Every structure is written in structure tokens, then in C-alpha cells.
Amino acid sequence: MSTTQSERLRAFLEPLVSSQGLDLEEIEVDSVGRKRVLRVVVDSDTGADLDRIADVSRALSAKLDETDAMGEGEYTLEVGTPGAERLLKEHRHYVRAVDRLVKFELAEGGELVARILKVDDDGLDLEVPGVKGRKATSRRLAFPEIEKARVQVEFNRKDKKEEEA
């Protein structure tokens, strides 16, 4: 799909997604044989539960059916959230990842795995876990220092409420 088509679809669908209280994170059109699949990824600061996703999916489907935005031929609409190991690209993504463990690929080279404690306009305050019994350390990372950042799944982390109990 060309950038022009992607931008046109985004401009067409974004106001409707926003009216549902969600952010339009990503649009992707794939061809699977003769069929096409339109994948729409949505999210919000408070998350997107199944009811909200179903509501926005129905609204997008109705809007797309009214127009020729997808052109002729059949397509399947899939609406979902970014997933557990989301790639952080926008400032709002970092804000939503506060208290999460993130793997950073640094612009200078190398990697860093740390927990985001605070986000401001210039960068992040991080807690770098200690290795082999050592204490965690603090680190500041400016946005230009980040090449790529991806949330990590943690299976054994205790919830803050559990720790306080």
C-alpha cells in the first residue's frame, strides 16, 4: 500500500476512532490471496477493553461500507490493540509504559533493559535492575539517545499492591 493510500485511510478513519475516545496507532493493509485485510490498531491512556474495541470496530465497518475507501473487492477488517510487547514510538507510548520494563536499543550502540519511572518532554527517568544481587540504579535517558524501545513481558513480577500488603 502506498504512503498516499495509507495517509488517506488514516485521515479518513482517525476522526472516527478519536470520537470513540481512542488513539489510532497503526493501519496496515495486507493481501492474502484474493482477499485483503485491513488491520487497525487502537489504544488509549486507560487501555482498550473488548467492549471499546467492538464498538470502534462496528463504527469503522459502517463508515467503510458507506464509502469506497477500500476500493472494490472484499476485505476483512481486524481491530485490535498494540499487544504486550509493543514498540514505543510516540511520547504517549512512553507515558503509557510507565512502571513497565523496556528494552532500549541505544543510538550510540548497545542495549539497556530498564523500568520507566517517569517521562517528561526531554526523556525518561529509569530504574536499571541490579545484576547478581546488586541494587538497582537510576539513569536518565534523553529521547535522542533511543534508537528503538520495546516493552518486555514480565511473568514473575509482583504487583505493587501485593508488595505493599
Side-chain angles (χ1 to χ4, degrees):
M1 186 164 104
S2 77
T3 305
T4 307
Q5 289 173 315
S6 177
E7 288 171 356
R8 211 171 60 238
L9 262 176
R10 177 175 281 280
F12 178 69
L13 299 177
E14 196 158 29
L16 184 56
V17 171
S18 295
S19 75
Q20 301 283 322
L22 298 168
D23 295 317
L24 179 58
E25 297 292 349
E26 194 176 314
I27 294 177
E28 181 183 334
V29 177
D30 284 331
S31 294
V32 181
R34 291 183 176 183
K35 286 193 171 188
R36 291 174 299 148
V37 178
L38 171 58
R39 289 186 185 87
V40 178
V41 177
V42 298
D43 202 6
S44 79
D45 290 341
T46 58
D49 63 22
L50 288 175
D51 290 335
R52 290 178 80 185
I53 291 171
D55 290 344
V56 78
S57 180
R58 283 189 289 273
L60 291 174
S61 181
K63 180 86 167 176
L64 288 165
D65 288 348
E66 292 173 1
T67 68
D68 65 347
M70 284 298 293
E72 298 295 319
E74 293 182 27
Y75 69 92
T76 301
L77 173 63
E78 295 179 0
V79 180
T81 59
E85 291 188 3
R86 78 170 307 157
L87 191 62
L88 306 177
K89 297 178 183 177
E90 306 281 334
H91 186 271
R92 69 177 178 264
H93 299 164
Y94 289 95
V95 171
R96 291 174 186 161
V98 166
D99 201 37
R100 301 286 308 269
L101 197 63
V102 176
K103 182 177 184 179
F104 297 94
E105 290 182 23
L106 304 176
E108 66 190 27
E111 294 179 343
L112 172 68
V113 176
R115 189 169 310 283
I116 298 176
L117 300 176
K118 183 180 170 197
V119 180
D120 59 36
D121 291 341
D122 300 318
L124 314 167
D125 289 338
L126 306 172
E127 178 185 73
V128 182
V131 180
K132 296 183 182 178
R134 293 188 181 139
K135 281 188 160 187
T137 58
S138 297
R139 177 165 177 183
R140 176 78 182 164
L141 197 59
F143 287 117
E145 296 177 81
I146 302 169
E147 186 70 31
K148 231 180 185 182
R150 184 176 299 276
V151 171
Q152 301 296 288
V153 174
E154 294 180 85
F155 292 107
N156 59 356
R157 180 165 188 237
K158 290 184 179 178
D159 194 6
K160 277 185 174 182
K161 292 175 186 171
E162 287 178 33
E163 291 174 1
E164 292 170 1

